[in-house]
């Protein structure tokens, strides 16, 4: 194959777009003062950026410029490509002044751009924009548009105006939000070409040059400012002084924290800052006195998250000396309230009133946990992460966690700790001794995190795994749900043995077991295989080897690549059942695309059955796009009693804003699909109830991926009138099956129809609170008590009898 073809194969082909919101190529900088009085650069320029991991061919594209009035666009043709995660420089007209050349441009035009106000468009054709007036951002083929200064031809609001000594540059991770005012800031002109060569307008060799070991005039507190966003974001700063307090040497977010020992008088300005060096390990060590030059950025790690103020771009670090004393750490002291409402970035900081504000004013600074604290999550030894509570009396669980009781109470005492030097395994309820110290960071999943250079000693709390109590009567029927976390035949035998031991010993050999996250036979290998018979057979054999029954099973293979989860895994729900205790009623015809329905056995009868068994609920509905379809089965138990079981695995919370989001309360975008899914299941259960005159015994269970107080559960249960949420029958401090961000919370559920009179129920805590986990979910068990469909209920049938041995 010839070289040109190889190159072409690595390019990403991009269609024309009629929307200026761009996720691949954006306008990253604009400067119109080149060659003007006082300017350092000789030429105007437009810089583009490729935000993807593949090169992008821009041959046939153009950049176009118009004055502030935006009536006539001048055009510069583009050629070649923009490297993966690289830049592309378009040089424009020169003026009479200026002394510094731009880096070698990738394209050259002759447009004399305004040094104050104007419009720049990135267009995927080489046809001039005509007739779009002041709405050119949505004109056909416009990929991105920036209006700056006094112009109405903008995306939402105009970016700052230019001067002879300032350019505008896109902030943070180069995200395009279609708001020029939010996306661009003013700063020192700095141009980069596709070769990676960067030239910054400055005074090479003079005072303040990055090679001169003289502290510059800018301090860390000047960069941090008294709000969430730096007042000089986008600007280049030179020789900012400080002492290195921590270093991160691994991953793609390497860098170091440094802090100014000489604090200013403003309590709202942080004295610490992170210096981002990307995939290059820094050479400084803790205690070094340094001068750092770079570009002030606001890094937003995920959609909806707050930003981390940092120095990025081309970093230059001058080491003055080593072995310096570190600034004294600030003891962590959280106010009562977690956060206020609205856009936090637009509001003044109130650290004495709100936890998120207290954390923000200490961003980048050394902080310390000055008292013994309790672990409210197990230590994740792979990433050396753990959560503690600074408020031990706040919503404690009986086993040491902090239970999440509602959207309005996110547990303000939680603090995430990441040990930069590793952390030993420990479970919920263990004690972390006082003294954990390090800089305060902000990262995408947990929000604020103490990056510990020193971790206090951990004393294990002695937490034990729970077991189901023996049944009071052998005729009682046990039904359980368990998310087995991407179980595939390719997993090691040890994982099957761990899960099997739990089924036998901890769950008490349930008669019916609904499993979530059973993968196909070759797991994450994405080769079109969807069958899971080998995975299930291996699990059943492991259960027998552990002393359990010879389970039978039923499931429906999904269509390849349609049900979400790990790519290639084709996860689905599976029923295991003990044929010595229950009978599965097989009704042929169920497959990935066939919808199960409720059938009256005679037109006037209340006796109902399923059209197919096993079956799937309305698999063609868009509610199940890239998500698991519920599995429905019909069982017989205790003679000829009929039981309908619906096993679920709703879509995840991926894409939701974190609890520490920049806008409060956080946006829960994934909830929309779960409510649709809940509606589908509710309507099916309602049909069962109506056609059976309320006599059908129904159990709905599985990984619903939502809380007991959520709109999803309100919809699914029809506010408790159609189905009963069993987690709500437990004491409030015991309502959890999963731990995330230090909150013990409910994602898994067992729901029952009112026709099930006598029952016992419990969550069996064997995973979520432990560092050593077979799964990240705790299973749940329902026991349907025999002889209870009578009035009045016998004593043993009254709900609330325990099912779990503490």
């Amino acid at each position: 194959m010839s070289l040109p073809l190889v190159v072409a194969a690595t390019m990403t082909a991009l269609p024309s777009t009629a929307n200026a919101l761009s996720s691949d190529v954006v306008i990253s900088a604009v400067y119109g003062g080149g060659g003007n009085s006082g300017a350092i650069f000789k030429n105007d320029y437009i810089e583009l950026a490729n935000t993807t991991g593949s090169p992008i061919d821009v041959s046939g594209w153009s950049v176009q410029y118009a004055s502030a009035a935006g009536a006539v666009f001048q055009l510069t043709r583009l050629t070649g490509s923009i490297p993966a995660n690289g830049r592309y420089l378009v040089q424009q007209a020169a003026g009479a002044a200026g002394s510094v050349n731009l880096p070698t441009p990738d394209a050259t035009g002759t447009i004399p751009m305004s040094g104050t106000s104007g419009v720049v468009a990135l267009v995927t054709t080489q046809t001039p924009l005509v007739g779009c007036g002041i709405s050119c951002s949505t004109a056909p083929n416009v990929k991105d548009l920036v209006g700056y200064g006094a112009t109405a031809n903008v995306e939402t609001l105009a970016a700052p105006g230019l001067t002879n000594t300032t350019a505008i540059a896109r902030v943070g991770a180069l995200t395009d939000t279609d708001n020029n005012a939010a996306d661009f800031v003013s700063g020192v002109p700095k141009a980069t070409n596709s070769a990676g060569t960067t030239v910054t307008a400055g005074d090479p060799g003079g005072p303040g040059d990055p090679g001169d070991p003289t502290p510059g005039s800018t301090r860390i507190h000047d960069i941090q400012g008294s709000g969430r966003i730096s007042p000089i974001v986008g600007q280049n700063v030179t020789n900012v002084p400080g002492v290195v307090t921590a270093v991160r040497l691994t991953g793609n977010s390497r860098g170091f924290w440094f802090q100014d020992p000489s604090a200013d008088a403003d309590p709202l300005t942080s004295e610490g800052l992170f210096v981002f060096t990307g995939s290059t390990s820094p050479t400084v060590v803790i205690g070094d006195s340094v001068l750092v030059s770079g570009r002030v950025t606001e890094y937003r790690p995920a959609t909806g998250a707050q930003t981390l103020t940092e120095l990025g771009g081309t970093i230059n670090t001058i080491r003055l000396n080593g072995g310096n004393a570190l600034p004294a750490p600030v003891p962590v002291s959280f106010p009562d309230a977690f956060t206020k409402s609205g856009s936090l970035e637009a509001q003044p900081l109130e650290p004495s009133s709100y936890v998120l504000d207290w954390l923000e004013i200490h961003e980048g600074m050394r902080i310390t946990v000055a008292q013994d604290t309790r672990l409210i999550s197990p230590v994740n030894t792979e990433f050396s992460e753990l959560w503690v509570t600074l408020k031990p009396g706040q919503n404690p669980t009986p086993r040491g966690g902090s239970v999440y009781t509602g959207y309005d109470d996110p547990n303000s005492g939680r603090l995430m700790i990441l040990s930069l030097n590793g952390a030993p395994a420990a479970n919920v309820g263990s004690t972390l001794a006082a003294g954990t110290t390090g800089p305060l960071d902000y990262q995408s999943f947990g929000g604020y995190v103490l990056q510990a250079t020193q971790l206090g000693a951990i004393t294990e709390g002695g937490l034990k795994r729970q077991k189901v109590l023996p049944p009071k009567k052998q005729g009682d029927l046990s039904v359980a749900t368990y998310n087995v976390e991407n179980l595939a035949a390719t997993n090691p035998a040890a994982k099957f043995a761990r899960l099997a031991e739990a089924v036998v010993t901890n769950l008490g050999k349930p008669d019916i077991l609904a499993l979530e996250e059973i993968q196909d036979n070759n797991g994450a290998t994405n080769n079109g295989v969807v069958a899971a018979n080998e995975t299930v057979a291996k699990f059943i054999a492991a259960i027998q080897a552990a002393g359990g029954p010879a389970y039978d099973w039923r499931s429906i293979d999904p269509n390849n690549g349609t049900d979400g989860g790990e790519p290639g895994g084709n996860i689905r729900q599976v029923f295991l059942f003990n044929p010595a205790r229950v009978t599965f009623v097989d009704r042929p015809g169920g497959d990935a695309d066939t919808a199960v329905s409720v059938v009256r056995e005679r037109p006037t009868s209340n006796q109902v059955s399923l059209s197919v068994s096993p079956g799937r609920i309305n698999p063609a509905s868009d509610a199940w796009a890239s998500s698991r379809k519920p599995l429905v089965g019909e069982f017989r138990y205790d003679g000829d009693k009929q039981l309908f079981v619906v096993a679920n695995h709703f879509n995840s919370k991926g894409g939701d804003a974190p609890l520490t989001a920049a806008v409060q309360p956080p946006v829960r975008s994934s909830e929309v699909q779960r409510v649709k899914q809940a509606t589908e299941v509710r309507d099916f259960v309602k049909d069962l109830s109506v056609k059976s005159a309320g006599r059908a015994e129904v159990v709905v269970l599985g990984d619903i991926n939502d809380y007991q107080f959520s709109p999803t559960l309100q919809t699914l249960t029809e506010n408790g009138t159609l189905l009963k949420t069993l987690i709500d029958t437990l004491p409030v401090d015991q309502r959890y099956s999963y731990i995330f961000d230090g909150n013990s919370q409910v994602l898994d559920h067992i729901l029952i129809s009112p026709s099930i009179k006598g029952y016992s129920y419990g969550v069996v805590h064997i995973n979520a609170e432990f560092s050593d986990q077979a799964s990240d979910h705790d299973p749940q068990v329902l026991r349907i008590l025999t002889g209870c469909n009578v009035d009045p209920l016998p004593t043993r049938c009254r709900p609330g009898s325990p099912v779990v041995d503490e």
Side-chain angles (χ1 to χ4, degrees):
M1 183 179 292
S2 66
L3 181 60
L5 288 178
V6 173
V7 173
T10 65
M11 299 294 178
T12 300
L14 297 170
S16 297
T17 176
N19 189 328
L21 188 65
S22 177
S23 60
D24 38 54
V25 179
V26 295
I27 299 168
S28 52
V30 176
Y31 175 60
N36 293 353
S37 175
I40 292 176
F41 280 141
K42 297 178 180 179
N43 292 77
D44 302 337
Y45 68 84
I46 300 164
E47 182 190 275
L48 309 179
N50 175 4
T51 63
T52 75
S54 301
I56 293 178
D57 188 352
V58 294
S59 298
W61 293 20
S62 61
V63 291
Q64 302 190 26
Y65 168 82
S67 67
V72 178
F73 280 85
Q74 302 175 69
L75 179 150
T76 301
R77 291 176 170 81
L78 306 184
T79 59
S81 64
I82 311 179
N85 298 305
R87 304 298 174 103
Y88 184 103
L89 184 63
V90 183
Q91 176 177 288
Q92 297 292 0
S99 58
V100 175
N101 292 320
L102 295 170
T104 302
D106 300 294
T108 302
T110 58
I111 301 172
M113 297 165 56
S114 169
T116 55
S117 303
V119 183
V120 174
L122 173 61
V123 185
T124 57
T125 69
Q126 296 184 347
T127 303
L129 294 173
V130 177
C132 53
I134 60 170
S135 301
C136 295
S137 65
T138 56
N141 303 310
V142 173
K143 178 165 282 289
D144 194 16
L145 180 141
V146 180
Y148 58 92
T151 181
N153 201 347
V154 299
E155 293 179 355
T156 309
L157 296 171
L162 305 180
T163 69
N164 293 346
T165 57
T166 61
I168 55 170
R170 192 175 292 271
V171 298
L174 304 178
T175 303
D176 184 8
T177 70
D178 267 0
N179 184 338
N180 295 157
D183 290 347
F184 284 84
V185 294
S186 176
V188 175
K190 176 183 177 182
T192 303
N193 63 15
S194 62
T197 303
T198 300
V199 176
T200 302
D203 185 11
D209 178 77
D212 177 22
T214 303
S217 59
T218 303
R219 295 294 185 266
I220 291 175
H221 49 249
D222 299 324
I223 295 170
Q224 287 283 10
S226 58
R228 281 186 158 81
I229 304 299
S230 170
I232 56 173
V233 63
Q235 295 185 22
N236 291 293
V237 292
T238 302
N239 288 3
V240 180
V243 175
V244 176
T245 59
V247 181
R248 184 158 58 208
L249 297 172
T250 60
N252 292 320
S253 185
R254 304 180 195 187
F256 61 92
W257 289 265
F258 74 132
Q259 187 168 332
D260 193 334
S262 302
D264 67 355
D266 188 347
L268 299 183
T269 57
S270 169
E271 301 296 338
L273 191 66
F274 180 65
V275 179
F276 174 67
T277 60
S279 58
T280 302
S281 295
T283 57
V284 296
V285 298
I286 293 174
D288 281 353
S289 177
V290 294
L291 302 175
V292 186
S293 302
R295 185 171 185 170
V296 179
T297 62
E298 291 287 347
Y299 171 61
R300 196 178 304 277
T303 301
Q306 294 190 56
T307 62
L308 173 68
T309 306
E310 63 183 24
L311 287 185
T314 301
I315 297 296
N316 186 77
T317 303
I318 299 174
R319 180 183 180 275
L320 301 177
N321 52 59
N324 293 276
L326 303 186
V330 178
V332 179
S333 179
F334 286 166
D336 290 336
F338 185 65
T339 186
K340 51 200 160 191
S341 298
S343 173
L344 301 185
E345 293 172 359
Q347 300 182 56
L349 295 170
E350 302 172 81
S352 63
S353 299
Y354 301 104
V355 171
L356 292 188
D357 287 10
W358 188 96
L359 291 165
E360 172 61 29
I361 70 164
H362 295 97
E363 178 188 80
M365 293 178 63
R366 297 184 79 225
I367 63 172
T368 186
V369 181
Q371 73 267 34
D372 290 357
T373 52
R374 188 179 77 243
L375 269 65
I376 54 174
S377 77
V379 175
N380 182 325
T381 54
E382 181 181 0
F383 299 105
S384 300
E385 294 175 353
L386 57 104
W387 289 79
V388 298
T389 178
L390 280 299
K391 300 174 183 178
Q394 187 176 64
N395 296 323
T397 73
R399 294 167 59 83
S402 289
V403 71
Y404 186 40
T405 61
Y407 295 126
D408 59 346
D409 189 8
N411 287 317
S412 61
R414 296 172 304 115
L415 175 66
M416 182 184 180
I417 297 170
L418 191 154
S419 176
L420 292 169
N421 300 310
N427 303 326
V428 165
S430 299
T431 300
L432 176 68
T436 296
T437 303
L440 183 64
D441 192 18
Y442 186 90
Q443 53 93 30
S444 57
F445 297 109
Y448 292 98
V449 55
L450 194 168
Q451 300 274 0
T453 55
Q454 175 183 335
L455 185 70
I458 298 178
T459 304
E460 181 58 65
L463 196 68
K464 302 297 183 185
R465 302 182 199 270
Q466 294 181 323
K467 298 179 180 180
V468 172
L469 291 167
K472 294 180 179 179
K473 282 191 176 181
Q474 288 300 314
D476 296 347
L477 180 75
S478 60
V479 183
T481 176
Y482 196 2
N483 183 319
V484 291
E485 195 176 8
N486 290 322
L487 185 65
T490 53
N491 290 156
K495 178 172 182 177
F496 283 89
R498 281 283 305 276
L499 291 167
E501 178 64 26
V503 171
V504 175
T505 302
N506 301 93
L507 303 188
K509 309 173 189 177
D511 302 316
I512 301 172
L513 176 57
L515 301 172
E516 299 87 51
E517 292 198 15
I518 292 288
Q519 291 195 344
D520 62 35
N521 292 331
N522 57 24
T525 301
N526 195 359
N527 62 354
V529 170
V530 294
N533 57 305
E534 295 174 12
T535 302
V536 178
K538 191 172 180 179
F539 192 24
I540 291 174
I543 293 172
Q544 284 185 276
Y551 281 109
D552 201 349
W553 67 287
R554 297 291 186 275
S555 186
I556 293 177
D557 292 338
N559 293 317
N560 187 47
T562 60
D563 282 23
E566 187 176 27
N570 290 309
I571 57 175
R572 83 291 307 276
Q573 295 84 266
V574 171
F575 290 127
L576 299 189
F577 61 94
N578 183 353
R581 301 275 295 137
V582 298
T583 300
F584 190 89
V585 180
D586 288 295
R587 301 184 189 277
D591 59 27
D593 303 310
T594 300
V596 64
S597 60
V598 181
V599 179
R600 278 197 179 102
E601 296 196 354
R602 294 185 305 276
T604 59
S605 170
N606 292 327
Q607 186 65 39
V608 296
S609 60
L610 300 178
S611 60
V612 294
S613 177
R616 301 175 109 195
I617 294 177
N618 198 10
S621 169
D622 64 358
W624 311 113
S626 298
S627 185
R628 285 67 57 186
K629 287 71 176 171
L631 180 69
V632 185
E634 184 179 335
F635 295 86
R636 300 280 176 166
Y637 75 100
D638 192 24
D640 200 35
K641 292 180 181 175
Q642 191 179 35
L643 179 69
F644 298 96
V645 183
V646 185
N648 302 274
H649 188 182
F650 285 8
N651 73 296
S652 77
K653 293 181 176 294
D656 287 2
L659 290 178
T660 56
V663 177
Q664 295 286 337
V667 175
R668 302 185 299 272
S669 56
S670 68
E671 188 178 83
V672 175
Q673 185 175 5
R674 283 194 299 280
V675 170
K676 286 184 178 182
Q677 294 175 340
T679 302
E680 293 283 358
V681 177
R682 178 203 65 194
D683 290 349
F684 177 80
V685 174
K686 186 181 291 187
D687 197 27
L688 268 172
S689 178
V690 169
K691 288 180 179 176
S692 69
R695 297 179 183 177
E697 293 187 6
V698 185
V699 176
V700 176
L701 76 178
D703 183 356
I704 304 299
N705 261 319
D706 223 333
Y707 314 119
Q708 69 274 25
F709 46 79
S710 67
T712 301
L713 267 294
Q714 293 167 7
T715 300
L716 181 57
T717 65
E718 205 154 73
N719 294 314
T721 61
L722 180 67
L723 292 166
K724 184 171 188 175
T725 306
L726 293 188
I727 198 79
D728 285 336
T729 67
L730 300 179
V732 171
D733 61 0
Q734 298 178 32
R735 298 175 187 173
Y736 64 96
S737 63
Y738 188 82
I739 297 178
F740 183 72
D741 279 4
N743 277 326
S744 296
Q745 56 194 247
V746 181
L747 295 183
D748 311 272
H749 290 273
I750 297 182
L751 318 170
I752 60 173
S753 59
S755 52
I756 298 176
K757 302 296 184 183
Y759 63 88
S760 58
Y761 161 80
V763 180
V764 189
H765 298 301
I766 59 175
N767 288 319
E769 299 168 312
F770 297 87
S771 281
D772 181 20
Q773 300 178 342
S775 167
D776 51 351
H777 292 251
D778 285 332
Q780 301 184 18
V781 175
L782 162 71
R783 188 170 291 145
I784 299 176
L785 307 178
T786 58
C788 292
N789 285 334
V790 294
D791 288 318
L793 281 178
T795 301
R796 73 176 297 269
C797 296
R798 292 170 188 166
S801 58
V803 72
V804 176
D805 182 4
E806 292 295 333

